[in-house]
Amino acid sequence: VYRGQFGLDVKLGYGEFSWPTGELYRGQFYRDHRHGLGTYMWPDGSSFTGTFYLSHREGYGTMYMKTSLFQGLYRADERFGPGVETYPDGSQDVGLWFRQHLIKLCTAVPGSFSLCSRPELSGFSTHAPARIRLSDEETMGWGLHEGQDPFFYEYKQFLLNDDLMLPPEMSIYSTDNCHLPMTRSFRKELDARIFANDIPPFVEDGEPWFIANETPLLVRIQEQAYKFRFIATVTLSTFCTLGLM
């Protein structure tokens, strides 16, 4: 059962959706998806309050469970970045999370091993810190001219031209974005809904930002944290405004 706002013949705006299983979502929708700020509740009393992206938990949020409370960053419904898990006895695990695993603590252990304490390894710590731009992943050029690129029609046109990726008005027939290609224009629409009141995720502050750890997984975690760097500061006030807390 859905009660709420509509637009373009789909759920669009603020509303409440409930399932026969007892699950309930109350918050923002965009093109039939849970997209924006909202609260998802389960029959066992668990709930998640935070940011959703295409019906998945994405960005900062708070997960209330029977045995613990987690506050942190999510990606595709999984913990992915900085977070704090609090247990009934008051103890906490604080650090960087990947799914259910705490992969890096936020505290330094006295006497721990580091490259600085091993002179013979100093060569590994003298190179300039790596840098990255979030916009690098979004940039795709035409490359060679049409006559010089043998894969122009078979490959690049379908990736770079939104009109060729999906049939016209495909959203009327299906909203299954897990199995359909994501056009660049639709991705921009989705990001605009999430970052409407903040700096868009790919606008640079100036120089590229430094990578603290070049391990591939931690690089992706840093990108996720940087993308939502401004959302975390406004989430609580927005929840209160919408009546979600």
Side-chain angles (χ1 to χ4, degrees):
V1 176
Y2 174 72
R3 297 183 180 88
Q5 298 173 325
F6 284 90
L8 304 175
D9 292 327
V10 295
K11 296 187 288 291
L12 185 65
Y14 183 85
E16 178 179 296
F17 194 95
S18 59
W19 289 261
T21 59
E23 297 175 50
L24 182 143
Y25 171 79
R26 183 184 297 115
Q28 295 176 320
F29 288 85
Y30 184 68
R31 290 186 177 270
D32 256 358
H33 290 282
R34 301 185 296 276
H35 191 80
L37 299 175
T39 295
Y40 195 105
M41 293 173 279
W42 287 265
D44 64 357
S46 302
S47 68
F48 173 82
T49 299
T51 307
F52 291 81
Y53 196 102
L54 277 184
S55 297
H56 296 287
R57 285 170 283 175
E58 184 95 4
Y60 285 97
T62 300
M63 184 74 188
Y64 296 89
M65 297 166 284
K66 289 184 177 181
T67 58
S68 63
L69 168 68
F70 180 78
Q71 298 168 290
L73 188 62
Y74 281 80
R75 178 179 181 179
D77 282 333
E78 301 282 358
R79 302 178 186 183
F80 198 81
V84 180
E85 185 161 19
T86 305
Y87 303 98
D89 62 359
S91 60
Q92 293 180 319
D93 285 330
V94 183
L96 297 181
W97 295 79
F98 177 62
R99 297 174 180 169
Q100 298 299 316
H101 305 288
L102 181 61
I103 61 174
K104 184 177 181 181
L105 297 172
C106 288
T107 56
V109 179
S112 61
F113 168 81
S114 72
L115 292 180
C116 296
S117 61
R118 308 296 300 182
E120 64 273 21
L121 300 177
S122 60
F124 292 96
S125 59
T126 56
H127 71 284
R131 302 184 180 191
I132 194 172
R133 290 180 185 270
L134 286 178
S135 55
D136 290 343
E137 294 185 349
E138 297 295 309
T139 302
M140 181 181 293
W142 288 103
L144 299 174
H145 294 294
E146 178 180 343
Q148 299 175 311
D149 191 344
F151 300 104
F152 184 83
Y153 287 103
E154 292 81 356
Y155 173 66
K156 285 189 176 179
Q157 263 201 322
F158 287 96
L159 293 180
L160 297 174
N161 191 334
D162 288 0
D163 296 333
L164 297 176
M165 292 181 68
L166 293 172
E169 300 183 358
M170 184 64 186
S171 59
I172 297 177
Y173 306 100
S174 176
T175 57
D176 182 8
N177 294 100
C178 293
H179 300 92
L180 293 174
M182 178 71 69
T183 64
R184 292 189 295 172
S185 59
F186 186 47
R187 176 71 71 180
K188 289 182 179 180
E189 286 183 39
L190 296 172
D191 287 342
R193 302 290 294 191
I194 297 293
F195 303 96
N197 299 318
D198 304 283
I199 297 177
F202 302 123
V203 172
E204 303 297 340
D205 296 329
E207 294 296 323
W209 49 284
F210 290 103
I211 299 176
N213 189 311
E214 296 182 41
T215 305
L217 175 60
L218 289 177
V219 170
R220 286 187 284 128
I221 288 177
Q222 287 175 264
E223 290 172 349
Q224 184 76 349
Y226 188 73
K227 181 177 181 178
F228 287 89
R229 63 195 182 279
F230 295 112
I231 296 297
T233 60
V234 300
T235 299
L236 181 59
S237 61
T238 307
F239 285 159
C240 296
T241 302
L242 293 175
L244 298 177
M245 294 188 66

